[in-house]
């Protein structure tokens, strides 16, 4: 969208996780990230605004076709060398009319956390695995780029 200049992707520097820096006040950054985590295969399962945490699930099979194409490109950008295990988005061909039922959990569901932290003049957005542990930079960078691409 038009607000992309407000969101910078910071790569992993010494001792720092990859993160997004959003040049908005916390309330607007929270709303923006929350919106990005509510579409195109992302779903907010729980949140804690005071603690700056979103508990998120993502299903590639529920993402829109455009999002899947973008995700495939993003995943490729991130990992030029072949990986041992198939990429996250390689199993998207097998979408058998999944119901919108909450109980009908897609097979490809991944869960992770998004943490927001107020920095000097921006809000930093970082991703953690489902248990809140630091992710591999390549994996974290992929999620951050998807979140950034998802902002309305």
């Amino acid at each position: 969208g038009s607000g992309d200049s407000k969101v910078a992707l910071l790569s992993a520097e010494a001792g720092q996780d990859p993160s997004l820096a959003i040049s908005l006040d916390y309330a607007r950054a929270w709303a923006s990230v929350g919106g990005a985590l509510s579409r195109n295969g992302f779903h907010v399962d729980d949140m804690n605004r005071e603690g700056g945490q979103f508990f998120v699930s993502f299903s590639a099979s529920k993402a829109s076709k455009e999002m899947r194409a973008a995700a495939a490109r993003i995943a490729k950008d991130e990992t030029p060398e072949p990986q041992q295990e198939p990429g996250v988005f390689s199993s998207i061909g097998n979408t058998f009319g999944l119901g919108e039922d909450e109980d009908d959990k897609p097979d490809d569901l991944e869960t992770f956390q998004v943490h927001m932290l107020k920095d000097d003049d921006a809000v930093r957005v970082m991703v953690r695995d489902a248990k809140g542990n630091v992710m591999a930079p390549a994996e974290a960078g992929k999620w951050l780029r998807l979140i950034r691409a998802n902002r309305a």
Side-chain angles (χ1 to χ4, degrees), residues 36-45 55-72 74-75 87-92 98 105-114 127 130 135 139 142-143 145-147 150:
L37 295 172
S38 306
R39 62 170 75 87
N40 282 335
F42 286 96
H43 181 264
V44 175
D45 300 319
F55 299 87
V56 182
S57 52
F58 176 81
S59 163
S61 60
K62 287 199 168 188
S64 69
K65 204 171 280 179
E66 297 77 36
M67 188 64 184
R68 290 206 290 264
I74 285 170
V88 182
F89 301 100
S90 60
S91 59
I92 54 179
L98 285 163
K105 286 269 194 285
D107 295 338
D108 62 353
L109 203 66
E110 295 181 76
T111 56
F112 59 98
Q113 298 180 19
V114 174
V127 287
M135 269 187 197
E139 181 82 351
K142 178 192 73 179
W143 289 122
R145 284 198 303 282
L146 285 172
I147 293 166
N150 235 0

Coordinates of all heavy atoms in Angstrom, one line a residue, residues 36-45 55-72 74-75 87-92 98 105-114 127 130 135 139 142-143 145-147 150:
A36 N -2.8 -7.0 9.4 CA -2.0 -7.8 8.5 C -2.1 -9.3 8.9 O -1.9 -10.2 8.1 CB -0.5 -7.3 8.5
L37 N -2.3 -9.5 10.2 CA -2.3 -10.9 10.8 C -3.7 -11.5 10.7 O -3.9 -12.6 11.3 CB -1.8 -10.9 12.2 CG -0.3 -10.6 12.4 CD1 0.0 -10.4 13.8 CD2 0.6 -11.6 11.7
S38 N -4.6 -10.8 10.1 CA -6.0 -11.3 10.0 C -6.5 -11.6 8.6 O -7.7 -11.8 8.4 CB -6.9 -10.2 10.6 OG -6.5 -9.8 11.9
R39 N -5.5 -11.7 7.7 CA -6.0 -12.0 6.3 C -4.9 -12.8 5.6 O -3.8 -13.0 6.1 CB -6.2 -10.7 5.5 CG -4.9 -9.8 5.4 CD -5.2 -8.6 4.4 NE -6.0 -7.6 5.0 CZ -5.5 -6.6 5.7 NH1 -4.2 -6.4 5.9 NH2 -6.3 -5.7 6.2
N40 N -5.3 -13.3 4.4 CA -4.4 -14.1 3.6 C -3.7 -15.3 4.3 O -2.5 -15.5 4.2 CB -3.3 -13.2 3.0 CG -3.9 -12.4 1.8 OD1 -4.8 -12.8 1.2 ND2 -3.3 -11.2 1.6
G41 N -4.6 -16.1 5.0 CA -4.0 -17.3 5.6 C -3.6 -17.1 7.0 O -3.4 -18.1 7.7
F42 N -3.4 -15.8 7.5 CA -3.0 -15.6 8.9 C -4.3 -15.5 9.7 O -5.3 -15.1 9.3 CB -2.3 -14.3 9.0 CG -0.9 -14.3 8.5 CD1 -0.6 -13.9 7.2 CD2 0.2 -14.7 9.2 CE1 0.7 -13.9 6.7 CE2 1.5 -14.7 8.7 CZ 1.7 -14.3 7.5
H43 N -4.1 -15.9 11.0 CA -5.3 -15.8 11.9 C -4.7 -15.5 13.3 O -3.8 -16.2 13.7 CB -6.0 -17.1 11.9 CG -7.2 -17.1 12.8 ND1 -7.2 -17.6 14.1 CD2 -8.5 -16.6 12.6 CE1 -8.4 -17.4 14.7 NE2 -9.2 -16.9 13.8
V44 N -5.3 -14.5 14.0 CA -4.8 -14.2 15.3 C -5.6 -15.1 16.3 O -6.9 -15.0 16.4 CB -5.1 -12.7 15.7 CG1 -4.8 -12.5 17.1 CG2 -4.2 -11.8 14.8
D45 N -5.0 -16.0 16.9 CA -5.6 -16.9 17.9 C -5.8 -16.3 19.2 O -6.8 -16.6 19.9 CB -4.8 -18.2 18.0 CG -4.6 -18.9 16.7 OD1 -5.6 -19.0 15.9 OD2 -3.5 -19.4 16.4
F55 N -0.6 -14.1 19.1 CA -0.4 -15.5 19.0 C -1.1 -15.9 17.7 O -2.3 -15.7 17.5 CB -1.0 -16.3 20.1 CG -0.3 -15.9 21.4 CD1 -0.7 -14.9 22.2 CD2 0.8 -16.6 21.9 CE1 -0.1 -14.5 23.4 CE2 1.5 -16.3 23.0 CZ 1.0 -15.2 23.8
V56 N -0.3 -16.3 16.7 CA -0.8 -16.4 15.3 C -0.7 -17.8 14.7 O 0.2 -18.5 15.1 CB 0.1 -15.4 14.5 CG1 -0.4 -15.4 13.0 CG2 0.1 -14.0 15.1
S57 N -1.7 -18.1 13.9 CA -1.5 -19.3 13.1 C -1.6 -18.9 11.6 O -2.2 -17.9 11.3 CB -2.6 -20.3 13.4 OG -3.9 -19.8 13.4
F58 N -0.9 -19.7 10.8 CA -0.9 -19.4 9.4 C -1.1 -20.7 8.6 O -0.5 -21.8 8.9 CB 0.4 -18.9 8.9 CG 0.6 -18.7 7.5 CD1 0.0 -17.5 6.9 CD2 1.2 -19.6 6.7 CE1 0.1 -17.4 5.5 CE2 1.3 -19.4 5.3 CZ 0.7 -18.3 4.7
S59 N -2.0 -20.7 7.6 CA -2.3 -21.8 6.8 C -2.1 -21.4 5.3 O -2.8 -20.6 4.8 CB -3.7 -22.4 7.0 OG -4.0 -23.2 5.9
A60 N -1.1 -22.0 4.7 CA -0.8 -21.6 3.3 C -2.0 -22.0 2.4 O -2.4 -21.3 1.5 CB 0.4 -22.3 2.8
S61 N -2.7 -23.1 2.8 CA -3.8 -23.5 1.9 C -5.0 -22.5 2.0 O -5.9 -22.5 1.2 CB -4.3 -24.9 2.3 OG -4.7 -25.0 3.7
K62 N -5.1 -21.8 3.1 CA -6.2 -20.8 3.3 C -5.8 -19.4 2.7 O -6.6 -18.5 2.7 CB -6.6 -20.7 4.7 CG -7.3 -21.9 5.2 CD -8.1 -21.6 6.5 CE -9.1 -22.7 6.8 NZ -10.0 -22.4 7.9
A63 N -4.5 -19.3 2.4 CA -4.1 -18.0 1.9 C -4.7 -17.8 0.5 O -4.9 -18.7 -0.3 CB -2.6 -17.9 1.8
S64 N -4.8 -16.5 0.1 CA -5.3 -16.3 -1.3 C -4.3 -16.7 -2.3 O -3.1 -16.8 -2.0 CB -5.6 -14.8 -1.4 OG -4.4 -14.1 -1.4
K65 N -4.7 -16.8 -3.5 CA -3.8 -17.2 -4.6 C -2.6 -16.2 -4.8 O -1.5 -16.6 -4.9 CB -4.6 -17.4 -5.9 CG -3.9 -18.3 -6.9 CD -4.8 -18.6 -8.1 CE -5.9 -19.6 -7.8 NZ -6.8 -19.9 -8.9
E66 N -3.0 -14.9 -4.7 CA -1.9 -13.9 -4.8 C -0.9 -14.0 -3.7 O 0.3 -13.9 -3.9 CB -2.5 -12.5 -4.8 CG -3.5 -12.2 -5.9 CD -4.9 -12.8 -5.7 OE1 -5.3 -12.9 -4.5 OE2 -5.5 -13.3 -6.7
M67 N -1.4 -14.3 -2.5 CA -0.6 -14.4 -1.3 C 0.3 -15.6 -1.5 O 1.5 -15.6 -1.1 CB -1.4 -14.5 -0.1 CG -0.6 -14.5 1.2 SD 0.1 -12.9 1.4 CE 1.1 -13.2 2.9
R68 N -0.2 -16.7 -2.0 CA 0.6 -17.9 -2.2 C 1.7 -17.7 -3.2 O 2.9 -18.1 -3.0 CB -0.2 -19.1 -2.6 CG -1.2 -19.6 -1.5 CD -1.5 -21.0 -1.7 NE -2.4 -21.3 -2.8 CZ -3.7 -21.4 -2.8 NH1 -4.3 -21.2 -1.6 NH2 -4.4 -21.6 -3.8
A69 N 1.4 -16.9 -4.2 CA 2.4 -16.6 -5.2 C 3.5 -15.7 -4.6 O 4.7 -16.0 -4.8 CB 1.8 -15.9 -6.4
A70 N 3.1 -14.7 -3.8 CA 4.0 -13.8 -3.2 C 4.9 -14.6 -2.2 O 6.1 -14.5 -2.1 CB 3.3 -12.7 -2.4
A71 N 4.2 -15.5 -1.4 CA 4.9 -16.3 -0.4 C 6.0 -17.2 -1.1 O 7.1 -17.4 -0.6 CB 3.9 -17.2 0.4
A72 N 5.6 -17.8 -2.2 CA 6.6 -18.7 -2.9 C 7.8 -17.8 -3.4 O 8.9 -18.3 -3.2 CB 5.9 -19.3 -4.1
I74 N 8.8 -15.0 -2.0 CA 9.5 -14.6 -0.8 C 10.4 -15.7 -0.3 O 11.5 -15.6 0.1 CB 8.5 -14.1 0.3 CG1 8.0 -12.7 -0.2 CG2 9.2 -14.0 1.6 CD1 6.9 -12.2 0.7
A75 N 9.8 -16.9 -0.2 CA 10.5 -18.1 0.3 C 11.7 -18.4 -0.6 O 12.8 -18.7 -0.1 CB 9.6 -19.3 0.4
G87 N 10.0 -26.7 1.3 CA 9.6 -25.4 1.8 C 8.2 -25.4 2.4 O 7.4 -26.2 2.1
V88 N 8.0 -24.4 3.2 CA 6.7 -24.3 3.9 C 5.5 -24.3 2.9 O 4.5 -24.8 3.2 CB 6.6 -22.9 4.6 CG1 5.3 -22.8 5.4 CG2 7.8 -22.8 5.6
F89 N 5.8 -23.6 1.7 CA 4.6 -23.4 0.8 C 4.6 -24.4 -0.3 O 3.9 -24.2 -1.2 CB 4.7 -22.0 0.3 CG 4.7 -21.0 1.3 CD1 5.9 -20.4 1.8 CD2 3.5 -20.6 2.0 CE1 5.9 -19.4 2.8 CE2 3.5 -19.7 3.0 CZ 4.7 -19.1 3.4
S90 N 5.3 -25.5 -0.2 CA 5.3 -26.5 -1.3 C 4.1 -27.4 -1.3 O 3.8 -28.0 -2.2 CB 6.6 -27.4 -1.2 OG 6.6 -28.1 0.0
S91 N 3.4 -27.4 -0.1 CA 2.3 -28.4 0.0 C 0.9 -27.7 -0.3 O -0.1 -28.2 0.1 CB 2.2 -29.0 1.4 OG 2.1 -27.9 2.3
I92 N 1.0 -26.5 -1.0 CA -0.3 -25.8 -1.2 C -1.2 -26.4 -2.3 O -2.3 -25.9 -2.4 CB 0.0 -24.3 -1.4 CG1 0.9 -24.2 -2.6 CG2 0.5 -23.6 -0.2 CD1 1.2 -22.7 -3.0
L98 N -11.4 -26.9 2.1 CA -11.5 -26.8 3.5 C -12.7 -26.0 4.0 O -12.9 -24.9 3.5 CB -10.2 -26.2 4.1 CG -8.9 -27.1 4.0 CD1 -7.7 -26.2 4.1 CD2 -9.0 -28.1 5.1
K105 N -9.3 -27.9 11.3 CA -7.9 -27.3 11.2 C -7.2 -27.8 10.0 O -7.1 -29.0 9.8 CB -7.1 -27.7 12.4 CG -7.5 -26.9 13.7 CD -6.7 -25.6 13.8 CE -6.8 -25.0 15.2 NZ -8.1 -24.3 15.5
P106 N -6.7 -26.9 9.1 CA -5.9 -27.4 8.0 C -4.7 -28.1 8.4 O -4.1 -27.9 9.5 CB -5.6 -26.1 7.2 CG -6.0 -25.0 8.0 CD -6.8 -25.5 9.2
D107 N -4.2 -29.1 7.6 CA -3.0 -29.9 7.9 C -1.8 -29.0 7.9 O -0.8 -29.4 8.6 CB -2.8 -31.0 6.8 CG -4.0 -31.9 6.9 OD1 -4.7 -32.0 7.9 OD2 -4.2 -32.6 5.8
D108 N -1.8 -27.9 7.2 CA -0.5 -27.2 7.1 C -0.4 -26.0 8.0 O 0.3 -25.1 7.8 CB -0.4 -26.7 5.6 CG -1.5 -25.7 5.2 OD1 -2.5 -25.6 6.0 OD2 -1.4 -25.1 4.1
L109 N -1.2 -26.1 9.1 CA -1.2 -25.0 10.1 C 0.1 -24.8 10.8 O 0.7 -25.8 11.3 CB -2.3 -25.2 11.1 CG -2.9 -24.0 11.8 CD1 -3.6 -23.1 10.8 CD2 -3.8 -24.4 12.9
E110 N 0.6 -23.6 10.8 CA 1.8 -23.3 11.5 C 1.5 -22.2 12.5 O 0.7 -21.3 12.2 CB 2.9 -22.7 10.6 CG 3.4 -23.7 9.5 CD 4.4 -23.0 8.7 OE1 5.6 -22.9 9.2 OE2 4.1 -22.7 7.6
T111 N 2.1 -22.3 13.7 CA 1.8 -21.3 14.7 C 3.0 -20.6 15.2 O 4.1 -21.2 15.2 CB 1.1 -22.0 16.0 OG1 1.9 -23.0 16.5 CG2 -0.3 -22.5 15.6
F112 N 2.9 -19.4 15.5 CA 4.1 -18.6 15.9 C 3.6 -17.4 16.7 O 2.4 -17.2 16.8 CB 5.0 -18.2 14.8 CG 4.4 -17.4 13.7 CD1 4.5 -16.0 13.7 CD2 3.6 -18.0 12.7 CE1 4.0 -15.2 12.7 CE2 3.1 -17.2 11.7 CZ 3.2 -15.8 11.7
Q113 N 4.5 -16.6 17.2 CA 4.2 -15.4 18.0 C 4.8 -14.2 17.3 O 5.8 -14.3 16.7 CB 4.7 -15.5 19.4 CG 4.1 -16.6 20.2 CD 4.7 -16.6 21.6 OE1 5.2 -15.6 22.1 NE2 4.6 -17.8 22.3
V114 N 4.0 -13.1 17.4 CA 4.6 -11.8 16.9 C 4.7 -10.9 18.1 O 3.7 -10.7 18.9 CB 3.6 -11.2 15.8 CG1 4.1 -9.8 15.5 CG2 3.5 -12.1 14.6
V127 N 9.3 -11.8 15.2 CA 8.6 -13.1 15.3 C 9.4 -14.1 16.1 O 10.6 -14.1 16.2 CB 8.3 -13.7 13.9 CG1 7.2 -12.9 13.2 CG2 9.6 -13.7 13.1
A130 N 6.3 -20.8 18.3 CA 5.1 -21.0 19.0 C 5.4 -20.9 20.5 O 4.5 -20.6 21.3 CB 4.4 -22.3 18.7
M135 N 13.6 -17.5 16.4 CA 13.6 -18.3 15.2 C 14.9 -18.1 14.4 O 15.6 -17.1 14.6 CB 12.5 -17.8 14.3 CG 11.1 -18.4 14.4 SD 10.1 -17.8 13.1 CE 8.5 -18.2 13.8
E139 N 14.0 -17.9 8.6 CA 12.6 -18.2 8.9 C 11.9 -16.9 9.3 O 10.8 -16.5 8.9 CB 12.5 -19.3 9.9 CG 11.1 -19.7 10.3 CD 10.5 -20.7 9.3 OE1 11.1 -20.9 8.2 OE2 9.4 -21.2 9.6
K142 N 11.3 -14.4 6.6 CA 10.2 -14.8 5.7 C 8.9 -14.3 6.2 O 8.1 -13.7 5.6 CB 10.2 -16.3 5.5 CG 9.1 -16.8 4.6 CD 9.0 -18.3 4.7 CE 8.4 -18.7 6.0 NZ 8.2 -20.2 6.1
W143 N 8.6 -14.6 7.5 CA 7.4 -14.2 8.2 C 7.2 -12.7 8.2 O 6.2 -12.1 7.9 CB 7.3 -14.7 9.6 CG 7.1 -16.2 9.7 CD1 7.9 -17.1 10.3 CD2 6.0 -17.0 9.1 NE1 7.4 -18.4 10.1 CE2 6.2 -18.3 9.4 CE3 4.9 -16.7 8.3 CZ2 5.4 -19.4 9.0 CZ3 4.0 -17.7 8.0 CH2 4.3 -19.0 8.3
R145 N 8.5 -10.5 6.1 CA 8.2 -10.0 4.8 C 6.7 -10.3 4.4 O 6.1 -9.5 3.7 CB 9.2 -10.5 3.7 CG 10.5 -9.9 3.8 CD 11.3 -10.1 2.6 NE 11.5 -11.5 2.3 CZ 12.4 -12.2 3.0 NH1 13.2 -11.7 3.9 NH2 12.5 -13.5 2.7
L146 N 6.2 -11.4 4.8 CA 4.8 -11.7 4.5 C 3.9 -10.8 5.3 O 2.9 -10.3 4.8 CB 4.5 -13.2 4.9 CG 5.0 -14.3 4.0 CD1 4.8 -15.6 4.6 CD2 4.3 -14.2 2.6
I147 N 4.2 -10.5 6.6 CA 3.4 -9.6 7.3 C 3.5 -8.2 6.7 O 2.4 -7.5 6.6 CB 3.9 -9.5 8.8 CG1 3.6 -10.9 9.5 CG2 3.3 -8.4 9.6 CD1 4.4 -11.1 10.8
N150 N 1.3 -7.9 3.7 CA -0.1 -8.1 4.0 C -0.7 -6.8 4.6 O -1.9 -6.8 4.7 CB -0.2 -9.2 5.1 CG -1.1 -10.3 4.7 OD1 -1.7 -10.2 3.6 ND2 -1.3 -11.2 5.6

